[in-house]
Amino acid sequence: MTMTSRNHLKLSLLSMLAIGPGLLLNSALGPIQHLIQKEFGIENTMTFSPTIMGMVTLALFIPCGPILKHRIGIRTSYLISMVVFVFGSLLAALSMDMYWMTISRFLQGMATGVMLMIMIPTLVLSFPIDKRNLALAVLLLGFFGSTVLGMFLGNVAMIYSHWRWIFYVAGTLACIGAILCRFFLKIETSHLKNEQPSQPSSLILNFCLLIVDSIKEVKRPLLELKWIKHPKPLLGMSMAVTSNIILMLSLFAIQGMLKEIHHVLPEQTLFIYVCMFVGVVISSILCTILYDILGPGLLGFLGSITILTVIVQWMFIAQGMPSSFILILMNITLLTSGVGITIGSGLMGAALGGPLPDLVKRMTVVQFFRFMLNTLSTIVIGWYTTQFSVTGLSKDPSMESSLTYHNILIAALIVNIILSCLSFGLHLTGKGHKLAHKPHLNHETANKNAARS
């Protein structure tokens, strides 16, 4: 399929608006969960049920995306999903207890999960073969960038002790996506027997029933492990998961060190997320340029080496080595660049790590397990960072904090060593399919070109 640059921009924007708001809320809820728990009058705990609900639901509904795309088309799936997401966002913004908040997060996760494996393959395959590497830049900027933006907005909300506006922002973005969809995507023939009801509650109910009805008609299992049993998909998925674990551990350590040891004001820590977004931009550029040259394995290995240099520096800082705030921000940029490179190369290596006709099936399984494992790691790290502490080693609280964060960075270092091994293992399997290359000409086209010359 060939498209103009303007159409690429339209489809890229629709993809970001379909998936970005859900990823934004998933990362924003971490910083503000204490505010929500305090307002709802519930016990303060790291296993915050709306956060987990949204992430688990997103993963569970990923396999439903390709089914609905085949059943009712991209445009109808997009419109219904965005309406469901907007309704869930409004419900969350107006929630007065945990019950309604959990329901709202279910709706948001469902809508985002459905659209994930509709828009990503559509976006990647829409680019002509010789420019398909640009899709990798869009994916990193749009999706990894949305996660960073969510962290930024969550910390802004935490500083000013107001959190409901974040759900209004996410809902507005989804609403814009629904409006633009009516102009940017062509009308497709729908297999629905009846017209979609106008009431939001009936629309959501019909959407849920449609998903259930579609799943019943599927003869094969929604997820088949055979698509990731080969080395490339398995190693690529593992790279993406371990990269996410490293980022969570490193950010927790450096934020704690800045606040408790270096006494940096909360407002100043917002610069961390600005630098993180710069790192996202750098990683998207490098992945776009270097993926076909180096291959996913070697590119991911270089990203892991970048992460290693940052973690080692922070381990010395945690032990009391003098450092400037500017140096720490530069390291944040390097860390995010390395994580973005490993995530991008890992996922794209998994996507292209097998026969291309099976790309959607393979990536559906990869993304399902990736999000489920990310959810599990979030729970474990949440427990780890609250329960694990070094006590009785020093009477100086700052020294005790230094030892705690030093040990957390050791955990990040161990995971990064695993990431390096995974990347090197992926490199040993070969470069695999390229993202961008010139298509082969058939004999008829070749003859015509020869005659013209």
Side-chain angles (χ1 to χ4, degrees):
M1 186 189 306
T2 59
M3 299 175 63
T4 64
S5 58
R6 179 177 297 180
N7 287 331
H8 288 312
L9 181 62
K10 291 178 180 179
L11 193 55
S12 300
L13 180 60
L14 287 178
S15 300
M16 294 179 187
L17 293 173
I19 305 168
L23 301 180
L24 182 152
L25 288 178
N26 283 348
S27 59
L29 277 176
I32 66 173
Q33 68 179 37
H34 300 306
L35 294 176
I36 300 176
Q37 289 169 336
K38 182 179 179 181
E39 185 168 335
F40 289 168
I42 62 175
E43 183 180 355
N44 190 6
T45 174
M46 285 299 295
T47 55
F48 188 44
S49 58
T51 303
I52 305 303
M53 173 61 74
M55 298 174 70
V56 171
T57 307
L58 190 158
L60 291 176
F61 278 87
I62 285 175
C64 300
I67 298 174
L68 286 177
K69 176 185 176 181
H70 177 73
R71 180 80 181 273
I72 62 177
I74 298 177
R75 188 173 187 265
T76 305
S77 300
Y78 194 106
L79 287 173
I80 297 177
S81 296
M82 291 303 96
V83 170
V84 171
F85 189 92
V86 171
F87 184 82
S89 299
L90 290 175
L91 189 61
L94 300 174
S95 294
M96 300 305 296
D97 54 44
M98 192 61 66
Y99 174 76
W100 291 108
M101 175 64 75
T102 303
I103 292 177
S104 68
R105 293 294 296 144
F106 175 84
L107 296 175
Q108 292 166 344
M110 177 175 64
T112 305
V114 165
M115 293 310 301
L116 187 74
M117 285 311 298
I118 291 179
M119 296 309 297
I120 289 181
T122 303
L123 175 66
V124 173
L125 297 177
S126 68
F127 281 83
I129 294 178
D130 58 332
K131 296 181 180 179
R132 193 159 288 170
N133 58 329
L134 296 177
L136 184 53
V138 175
L139 293 175
L140 280 174
L141 280 174
F143 303 149
F144 193 22
S146 296
T147 301
V148 173
L149 178 60
M151 296 179 188
F152 176 83
L153 295 181
N155 279 270
V156 171
M158 182 182 65
I159 291 172
Y160 295 100
S161 299
H162 295 287
W163 57 271
R164 296 182 184 272
W165 59 273
I166 292 181
F167 290 98
Y168 287 120
V169 170
T172 300
L173 292 174
C175 187
I176 293 173
I179 295 172
L180 294 179
C181 170
R182 299 185 65 87
F183 301 99
F184 289 175
L185 290 180
K186 294 180 180 179
I187 299 177
E188 298 169 288
T189 303
S190 172
H191 300 288
L192 293 174
K193 296 180 180 179
N194 302 313
E195 294 183 358
Q196 297 296 336
S198 58
Q199 295 296 325
S201 58
S202 300
L203 183 64
I204 294 170
L205 178 61
N206 188 78
F207 187 47
C208 296
L209 293 175
L210 177 62
I211 292 176
V212 173
D213 184 49
S214 300
I215 292 174
K216 288 181 179 179
E217 294 183 7
V218 177
K219 296 180 180 179
R220 285 189 171 186
L222 294 179
L223 294 170
E224 295 186 73
L225 296 180
K226 68 178 183 179
W227 301 117
I228 60 170
K229 68 179 182 180
H230 301 291
K232 279 186 181 296
L234 191 59
L235 290 170
M237 179 186 70
S238 301
M239 286 171 59
V241 173
T242 52
S243 300
N244 185 69
I245 294 174
I246 292 170
L247 183 62
M248 287 191 290
L249 287 172
S250 301
L251 281 180
F252 178 84
I254 195 61
Q255 284 178 319
M257 289 160 53
L258 289 175
K259 292 178 183 179
E260 298 182 22
I261 301 174
H262 297 278
H263 307 292
V264 174
L265 297 175
E267 291 80 1
Q268 291 178 292
T269 60
L270 293 178
F271 287 105
I272 290 177
Y273 304 101
V274 176
C275 292
M276 286 182 67
F277 192 79
V278 174
V280 171
V281 175
I282 294 173
S283 65
S284 64
I285 295 173
L286 291 177
C287 281
T288 301
I289 297 174
L290 298 177
Y291 183 89
D292 286 343
I293 298 174
L294 301 178
L298 186 55
L299 184 59
F301 185 76
L302 293 178
S304 66
I305 296 299
T306 303
I307 297 171
L308 175 66
T309 60
V310 174
I311 294 177
V312 170
Q313 288 185 68
W314 285 352
M315 289 175 67
F316 285 108
I317 293 174
Q319 289 181 325
M321 184 185 77
S323 62
S324 65
F325 187 52
I326 298 298
L327 177 61
I328 291 177
L329 293 180
M330 292 175 61
N331 282 331
I332 287 287
T333 305
L334 285 176
L335 173 72
T336 313
S337 300
V339 170
I341 288 172
T342 53
I343 291 177
S345 59
L347 289 179
M348 198 55 66
L352 301 176
L356 294 182
D358 299 326
L359 184 145
V360 174
K361 296 177 182 178
R362 183 166 54 251
M363 280 308 296
T364 300
V365 181
V366 167
Q367 293 285 14
F368 170 80
F369 281 105
R370 177 200 168 204
F371 278 98
M372 288 299 292
L373 291 173
N374 284 344
T375 303
L376 179 61
S377 64
T378 300
I379 297 173
V380 172
I381 292 174
W383 173 86
Y384 174 84
T385 54
T386 53
Q387 299 296 324
F388 179 77
S389 62
V390 181
T391 58
L393 297 181
S394 174
K395 296 180 180 180
D396 185 358
S398 63
M399 181 62 70
E400 184 175 316
S401 297
S402 298
L403 291 170
T404 300
Y405 295 126
H406 182 265
N407 287 330
I408 293 174
L409 288 171
I410 288 178
L413 178 63
I414 294 172
V415 178
N416 187 66
I417 293 173
I418 297 173
L419 173 62
S420 300
C421 296
L422 293 171
S423 302
F424 187 71
L426 183 61
H427 176 65
L428 294 179
T429 64
K431 289 185 178 180
H433 297 287
K434 287 187 176 182
L435 262 174
H437 57 86
K438 294 182 180 180
H440 297 288
L441 298 175
N442 56 35
H443 294 293
E444 182 180 353
T445 305
N447 292 334
K448 288 182 180 179
N449 291 340
R452 289 176 183 175
S453 61

